[in-house]
């Protein structure tokens, strides 16, 4: 962004230079165009002045020559002139452009052809009368033809008059001045014979002039109404009376000024517009790059930040941690990665809703941020999982001290909307580089340590050790073996009889799973159920047990054997399986087994893990007609108060109480109390682990309803259970 700002003045400088350049170029072009106009106009003027001058020249030269011819004729006739009229007529007719021809013996006009209209001029003394006096004298003295004009004539009009002096006996001793022959040309007629008037109308000016006979100044013979303009062209008329000049001009100052104004204006406007366009073009990439940078930063922020807590997310860790680790390695720094999640956080979401759950996460994130040091990084890895990279520590103890701080900080009660939550967390610590220096290894090892901390009972931290890896390996191996066993149908169900203590009759059985391992033989559940629970395979295995149990009930019915109540053990993960009820319903329908023949045994601990969920599920199952039994009663919280809120049909007293019942008064009292209390709650009681007749008898005396134990039978195969003999007490035999 800063860079883009710095470049804008540079763009302005470039644009200013471009503007000046365009305007200068426009100025040059305008000037060239003006010069071209001047040149073009000059050429036209030259052509015009030449053509008009030559037209005038022809006409004047003829007129002037005719005065000379007339003077020769008079000389030839020795001063006689009776031929004048006819000769003059011929001259005017043949040459043209002559207004009249005159003869003035001794300077007095005697003859004029044509006379009509010119009568007033007869008798005029052209030697002595003004304005002719001076020039006429000059012609006589120099014996050369002269031109006079412009002359206002007595008969009207303005004319140019040519006078040729006539001497008789020229070159001889008796040479004598006779008089003068003159030709007269009207200037207006002369000009009319050219295009000068039309040119004047088209805006040209002209002047026909000659030098004064004896002076430097010039005599204007004819001119346009408007005086000559600044652009001029002159052409000379070479005449018998001297050289005359025709100047034609044109006023182009206004036109030039107008053209230049337009040229410069257009240059400035084009320069301005192009500069704006150029500026926009130059600025556009800067704007774009600025925009791209802003958007990229925003996207990166989005991609790298968890929207809820504003902490960096897992992706940030994946993209940035390798670099941090590499730098730390170069500086030989010790770091640690602490991986942790909140214990039982799901319960908050389930009980008070996700909105409050989210607020709790935000508060935890704030606490973690407050704990971290300058080189540490807190990230939210998803859900209730967090990670802290301690960037620069001195020892393992320092990492452990930090983990303790997190434990305390998380454990501080969170007050929110008049509610108070107390959370705990389990943490796994992996040291860097001791426990790995690439992200995958570090996270895996920290995760293993976290898992270990949870196994140890949560609300604590655990530092990664190599043995965890071995355990994990074993877990993975066991998981594979279990999957294979499920596929190969290596599991079998065994049935341990449950009997009525009062009637001596077998009323049902508890289904117990065994793994018939191809190499190891029969394996008991305590060896594989914990693995199945840890890996989640318990759901699949549990489903298999239920189906096999129900199928067995159907087989018994088909074989005409008595109805029994079959109890099946449930794990907490099965309770949480949303498809559980529909699965059971489907199987009961499929095998045509009534629900009252089915019972589920659940431990108190499993129920308390999520009591709300368990209560609702158990109620549904009970409504279906399934018997609900609390397993191993007395080993967990042993809270009879909890029982009254649960839809329980049967209580199974744990074998530990039954074992010493005949010797230990304490156990005896507990068992008696449990039985009495359960009966008050309308719950039947079954005693587990009955191994002797004395135990049976005592339990029967306490009004215990049912029993189960080696005294009657171990768990046996379906085949053996089917042919089980009736219960016979030896003391009764004897
Ligand atoms: Mg059980």
């Amino acid at each position: 962004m800063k860079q883009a700002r710095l470049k804008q003045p540079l763009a302005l400088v470039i644009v200013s230079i471009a503007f000046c350049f365009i305007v200068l170029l426009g100025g040059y072009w305008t000037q060239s165009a003006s010069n071209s106009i001047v040149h073009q106009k000059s050429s036209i003027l030259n052509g015009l002045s030449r053509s008009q001058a030559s037209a005038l020249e022809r006409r004047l030269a003829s007129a002037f020559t005719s005065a000379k011819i007339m003077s020769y004729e008079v000389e030839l006739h020795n001063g006689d002139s009776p031929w004048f009229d006819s000769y003059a007529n011929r001259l005017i007719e043949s040459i043209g452009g002559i207004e009249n021809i005159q003869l003035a013996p001794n300077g007095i006009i005697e003859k004029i052809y044509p006379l009509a209209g010119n009568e007033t001029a007869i008798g005029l003394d052209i030697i002595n009368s003004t304005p002719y006096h001076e020039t006429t004298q000059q012609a006589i003295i120099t014996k050369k033809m002269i031109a006079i004009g412009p002359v206002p004539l007595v008969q009207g009009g303005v004319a140019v008059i040519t006078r040729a002096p006539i001497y008789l006996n020229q070159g001889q001793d008796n040479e004598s001045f006779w008089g003068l022959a003159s030709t007269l040309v009207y200037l207006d007629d002369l000009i009319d014979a050219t295009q000068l008037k039309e040119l004047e109308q088209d805006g040209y000016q002209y002047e026909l002039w000659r030098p004064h006979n004896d002076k430097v100044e010039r005599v204007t013979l004819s001119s346009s109404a408007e005086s000559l303009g600044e652009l001029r062209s002159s052409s000379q008329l070479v005449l018998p009376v001297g050289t005359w000049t025709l100047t034609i001009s044109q006023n182009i100052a206004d036109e030039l000024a107008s053209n230049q104004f337009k040229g410069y204006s257009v240059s400035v406007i084009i320069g301005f517009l192009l500069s704006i366009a150029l500026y926009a073009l130059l600025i556009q990439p800067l704007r774009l790059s600025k925009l791209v940078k802003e958007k990229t930063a925003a996207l990166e922020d989005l991609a790298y930040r968890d929207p809820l807590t504003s902490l960096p997310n897992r992706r940030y860790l994946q993209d940035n941690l390798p670099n941090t680790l590499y730098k730390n390695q170069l500086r030989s720094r010790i770091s640690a990665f602490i991986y942790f999640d909140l214990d039982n956080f799901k319960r908050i979401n389930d009980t008070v809703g996700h909105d409050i759950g989210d607020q709790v996460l935000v508060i935890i994130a704030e606490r973690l941020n407050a704990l971290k040091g300058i080189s540490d990084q807190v990230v939210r890895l998803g859900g209730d999982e967090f990670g802290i990279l301690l960037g620069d520590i001195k020892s393992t103890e320092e990492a452990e001290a930090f983990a303790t701080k997190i434990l305390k900080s998380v454990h501080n009660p969170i007050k929110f909307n008049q509610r108070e939550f107390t959370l705990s967390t389990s943490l796994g610590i992996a040291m860097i580089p001791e426990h790995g220096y690439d992200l995958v290894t570090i996270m895996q090892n920290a995760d293993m340590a976290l898992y270990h901390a949870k196994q140890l009972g949560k609300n604590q931290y655990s530092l990664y050790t190599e043995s965890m890896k071995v355990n994990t390996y074993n877990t993975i191996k066991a998981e594979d073996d279990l999957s294979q066993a499920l596929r190969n149908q290596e599991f079998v169900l065994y049935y341990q009889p449950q009997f009525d203590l009062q009637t001596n009759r077998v009323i049902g059985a508890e289904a117990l799973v065994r793994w018939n391992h191809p190499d190891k033989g029969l394996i008991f559940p305590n060896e594989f159920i914990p693995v199945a629970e840890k890996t989640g395979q318990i759901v699949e295995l549990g489903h298999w047990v239920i189906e096999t149990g129900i199928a067995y009930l159907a087989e018994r019915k088909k074989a005409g054997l008595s109805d029994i109540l079959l109890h099946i053990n449930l794990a907490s993960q099965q309770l949480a399986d949303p498809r559980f009820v529909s699965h059971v319903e489907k199987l009961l329908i499929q095998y045509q087994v009534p629900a009252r023949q089915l019972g589920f045994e659940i431990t108190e601990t499993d129920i308390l893990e999520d009591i709300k969920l368990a209560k609702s599920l158990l109620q549904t199952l009970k409504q279906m007609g399934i018997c609900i039994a609390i397993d191993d009663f007395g080993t967990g919280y042993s809270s009879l108060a909890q029982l009254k809120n649960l839809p329980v049909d049967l209580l199974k007293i744990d074998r530990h109480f039954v074992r010493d019942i005949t010797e230990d008064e304490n156990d005896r009292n507990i068992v008696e109390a449990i039985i009495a209390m359960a009966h008050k709650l309308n719950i039947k009681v079954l005693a587990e682990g009955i191994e002797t007749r004395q135990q049976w008898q005592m339990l029967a005396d306490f009004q215990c309803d049912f029993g189960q134990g080696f005294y009657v039978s171990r768990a046996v195969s379906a085949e053996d259970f089917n042919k089980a003999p009736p219960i016979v007490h030896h003391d009764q035999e004897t």
Side-chain angles (χ1 to χ4, degrees), residues 510 512 568-569 601 631-632 652 688 708:
E510 177 179 1
L512 294 162
I568 291 171
N569 293 287
E601 296 184 6
D631 209 0
D632 304 336
K652 291 184 76 178
E688 290 181 306
Q708 180 179 343

Side-chain angles (χ1 to χ4, degrees), residues 586-607:
K586 214 171 118 188
L587 289 171
L588 288 173
I589 293 166
Q590 187 185 336
Y591 288 96
Q592 292 292 302
V593 169
R596 62 178 163 76
Q597 278 196 264
L598 193 62
F600 285 128
E601 296 184 6
I602 308 128
T603 65
E604 279 180 288
T605 320
D606 284 348
I607 290 173

Side-chain angles (χ1 to χ4, degrees), residues 377-389:
Q377 184 73 62
V378 183
V379 288
R380 183 181 176 209
L381 297 165
D384 60 328
E385 287 174 41
F386 294 90
I388 292 187
L389 176 77

